[in-house]
């Protein structure tokens, strides 16, 4: 991703990044699936003219993607742009 993940600015994000890599990968995989499913729900809601539900599902998709990306960071410093000297 070509931007600084806004979720990584929250204090709880460091807890995610301290998890063992294997656990982070497993959770990120589930979050990627959640993202795909939420996108599908958003498209269906949009086709049914249910704008608020489409927006809700699109937000779920975005948060799932941001969380998955955060979990895929190799270490704390690289996630926030810190420690890259």
């Amino acid at each position: 991703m070509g931007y600084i993940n806004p979720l990584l600015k929250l204090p709880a994000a460091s807890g995610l990044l301290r998890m063992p890599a294997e656990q982070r990968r497993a959770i990120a995989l589930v979050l990627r699936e959640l993202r795909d499913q939420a996108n599908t729900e958003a498209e269906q809601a949009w086709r049914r003219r249910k704008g608020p539900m489409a927006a809700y599902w699109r937000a779920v998709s975005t948060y799932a993607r941001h969380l998955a990306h955060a979990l895929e960071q190799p270490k704390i410093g690289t996630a926030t742009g810190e420690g890259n000297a």
Side-chain angles (χ1 to χ4, degrees):
M1 296 171 93
Y3 62 90
I4 295 174
N5 189 332
L7 292 178
L8 294 174
K9 293 181 180 181
L10 299 175
S14 63
L16 288 174
L17 298 173
R18 285 194 302 267
M19 293 172 60
E22 187 174 312
Q23 288 178 354
R24 291 193 333 255
R25 277 191 298 272
I27 294 169
L29 183 62
V30 172
L31 288 168
R32 296 278 181 194
E33 290 178 30
L34 177 68
R35 176 191 180 207
D36 291 342
Q37 292 169 13
N39 272 330
T40 299
E41 291 294 324
E43 291 299 321
Q44 289 175 357
W46 188 252
R47 282 193 299 272
R48 291 189 306 252
R49 309 280 195 266
K50 304 291 185 182
M53 285 308 297
Y56 168 80
W57 285 116
R58 193 64 73 196
V60 169
S61 172
T62 299
Y63 287 126
R65 183 187 72 197
H66 284 214
L67 285 166
H69 179 69
L71 288 165
E72 292 167 344
Q73 297 302 310
K75 58 185 174 180
I76 294 173
T78 60
T80 60
E82 300 168 3
N84 291 336

